[in-house]
Amino acid sequence: MGRFLQQFFLHYAALSCFGMVHGFMDETLEKAIKSEGYCSRILRAQGGTRKEGYNEFSLRVEGDPEIYKPGNTYRVTLSAASPAYFRGFTLIALKEGKDGEREEDHAGSFQIIDEEDTQFMSNCPVAVTESTPRRRTRIQVFWTAPAIGTGCVILKASIVQKKIIYFQDEGSLTKRMCEPDTSYEGGNEKTIPDCCACGTAKYRLTFYGNWSEKSHPKDYPRRANHWSAIIGGSHSKEYVLWEYGGYASEGVKQVAEFGSPVKMEEEIRQKGDEVLTVIKAKAQWPAWQPLNVRAAPSAEFSVDRTRHLMSFSTMLGPSPDWNVGLSAEDLCTKECGWVQKVIQDLIPWDAGTDSGVSYESPNKPTIPQDKIRPLTSLDHPQSPFYDPEGGPIIPVARVVIERIARKGEQCNIVPDNVDDIVADLVTEEKEEDDTPETCIYSNWSPWSACSSATCDKGKRMRQRMLKAQLDLSVSCPDTQDFEPCMGPGCSDDEASTCMMSEWITWSPCSLSCGMGMRSRERYVKQFPEDGSMCKVPMEETEKCVVNEECEPSSCIVTEWGEWEECSSTCGVGMKKRHRMIKMTPADGSMCKTDTTEVEKCMMPECHTIPCVLSPWSDWSDCSVTCGKGTRTRQRMLKSPAELGDCNEELKQVEKCMLPECPIHCELTEWSNWSECNKSCGKGHMIRTRMITLEPQFGGALCPETVQRKKCRLRKCQKSSGIEKKRLKEAREKRRSERTNEEADGEQYPVCKMKPWTAWTECTKYCGGGIQERFMTVKKRFKSSQFTSCKDKKEIRACNVHPC
């Protein structure tokens, strides 16, 4: 029975690829197969006819990663090298060292891209096979990597060609990938290779928040749940926004604890040329809503050879210091190309700045600060993600990064497939123009013809002229633009593509006088791989008129010849075409028909020899030590003078602002001395001055405003007892009046002020702004001599760092 089953399994596996086994087995054999274990029939059948070293077929994972990221989705391609092909296939993913006899032996999950080409096996739902048997050279599916703790994974493929199954335990039909090291104690030690890709690529990041009461019910905060604004950037490997095992910067801390992106954006922009694009997207309140109610937030960014990494973060709120995001995601492939798509499920990570254990824990700063680490289900029993069995945390979000355009010359080693070409050919309906407002261009010229006349990838070009650069500190994009293209007659459906030649020139018109017909043809250079017939037209006809009428007085001419080459190799030129007179009028009159036709032609923009300049120097110090001033930077002309004059700017000047200069107190001149306050004996007289400008920004304080000096007049005569008594009463009366005045002064103060207000927000984020604060009068003493009691204002500089 065992030998019979083994032979049957081999035969059944081969037949099942062609859908020929339905209704074939009797009940006994069906029970025998079911007893063999989970999907074991497939593996045994494949192993039975294994052929080593068969390299016409290959199994490839996009980017050829040796390490998979848990939750990431990868494009898997099974292909045959020309002229080979295959009719059927089987694709599985196993944990290393497992034989596939149990469901838990299989790792990750496949996703179907094209249902007409691929499907899940009905009797082994974790495996992928063909939908219909036919000749094919390539299939693609998505594979989502398993959770942390799975270990290494083996992707295996089998091929059916002429009813022979080819299978390999090692080699081109097997791909091994392992999970990353989850120990972050020593910091993030992964080595990021240099990027060898050319041109630039544009991506769209879309963030799908899956954190809801349904998916994460424990202690879910119903009122204030939200995602903070997304902040990040595309950057070089010299700059790290955040990483596991590293310490959070002040910007990362403010995002993690308060959801504020302001400081982190400031940190990113200060990195200058290390950053290509700042990535920003709006916050989401509440954290989850259906996509038909609220679109997922998205942002677009670009990468190039030196800045091929992207990082971002967003706070899960409310929380102590929990974020999600990506760190140094490399969008450059080993084949010198640009990754087409990244799909990543996200779990929260702890910024190491707050020791709270639940969503709404009170603030508890972590001192000293801890390293950034991913949350786990065993962190604390009060954690909303706690699981006593230590299972994986359910992802709270998913991010999709999709390439939407490539610009410039590309140099990927692996040729583009149809998906790559079509993705670049599809233009966005309303593509945003990233040209700065300070760059004034002419309109784009028409696209040139495609450099490929076949269905191979080619390119075409268009040009524009830079008319003016209004702000020299803002660089203007290139004046040339390239995009991929394919030759005429090509279809997006690779299997049914007819490769056509270009059209042959039009035949002569069938009539030399009056309305005639002409035609042109093309031929099939390569028939479709699926054996179908070419349905594209092979011949075209159209009406033509050489001479409208042929009468004795008519001038009979030939058809127009081909256009001559343009008279100019660049810029605007002229081109001509000619025709000849076949017969002059029979009545002897002159021919009045034109035999030469002229029209303008546009060639690529003319370029002069560019100036070779040194890089800009650093900005000089500000020309003042306080207040508003200017600073400069320079560059040198390096190209020889004999190449011609250079009109490029060699010096730039911009404004700068430092903290405000001190303002010293200013006063009026002294008044004249008053009269002596006594009519005899010893007395005094005074003089005063007024404050015209209060001191500000640390200026000198105001000196005294009242001065007194003694005065001495004639001796007072001795008075009688009655006179002394009168003087004593007068002194007591004056003393009583002064006491009453002081009491009134306490009741009605001279100038009672409110406290200073808080400083206003800075008027600029960088480059020098202004803050103000105010003090207003709360109560004035109603007396004409206290007219200087008034509101006060202070000003100071802020954000003086360069932009």
Side-chain angles (χ1 to χ4, degrees), residues 337-409:
W338 298 110
V339 172
Q340 195 174 79
K341 193 171 188 179
V342 175
I343 302 175
Q344 174 73 62
D345 289 325
L346 305 175
I347 62 171
W349 47 268
D350 190 307
T353 60
D354 191 291
S355 299
V357 295
S358 63
Y359 291 129
E360 299 181 274
S361 293
N363 288 336
K364 187 179 180 182
T366 304
I367 302 175
Q369 185 174 332
D370 279 344
K371 295 178 179 179
I372 296 174
R373 64 172 183 85
L375 295 180
T376 71
S377 60
L378 294 174
D379 284 339
H380 196 280
Q382 294 181 7
S383 168
F385 306 108
Y386 181 71
D387 178 3
E389 297 181 0
I393 292 178
I394 297 174
V396 296
R398 168 174 285 189
V399 62
V400 177
I401 302 170
E402 191 167 14
R403 196 184 75 214
I404 58 176
R406 289 183 297 183
K407 288 188 177 182
E409 186 71 26

Side-chain angles (χ1 to χ4, degrees), residues 54 84 113 160 164 278 285 303 337 354 359 362 365 403 438 464 504 508 519 521 540 553 588 631 665 673 680 694 741:
Y54 199 80
I113 295 177
V160 177
I164 300 175
V278 177
W285 291 80
V303 292
D354 191 291
Y359 291 129
R403 196 184 75 214
T438 55
R464 59 181 176 179
I504 301 171
S519 63
E521 298 176 342
E540 282 185 346
S553 60
R631 61 178 188 170
C665 178
W673 288 103
C680 63
E694 296 283 352
E741 283 184 8

Side-chain angles (χ1 to χ4, degrees), residues 32-41 44 100-102 123:
I33 288 176
K34 290 183 178 178
S35 68
E36 283 298 306
Y38 191 85
C39 299
S40 60
R41 176 186 58 76
R44 292 192 184 188
E101 293 193 359
R102 298 176 302 170
N123 47 10

Side-chain angles (χ1 to χ4, degrees), residues 478-517:
D478 296 334
T479 56
Q480 291 184 333
D481 189 19
F482 296 87
E483 73 172 16
C485 58
M486 289 188 288
C490 294
S491 168
D492 293 342
D493 185 1
E494 182 185 31
S496 59
T497 295
C498 288
M499 188 177 294
M500 306 297 295
S501 69
E502 293 188 15
W503 288 103
I504 301 171
T505 56
W506 288 101
S507 66
C509 195
S510 60
L511 296 176
S512 59
C513 298
M515 182 74 71
M517 299 295 294

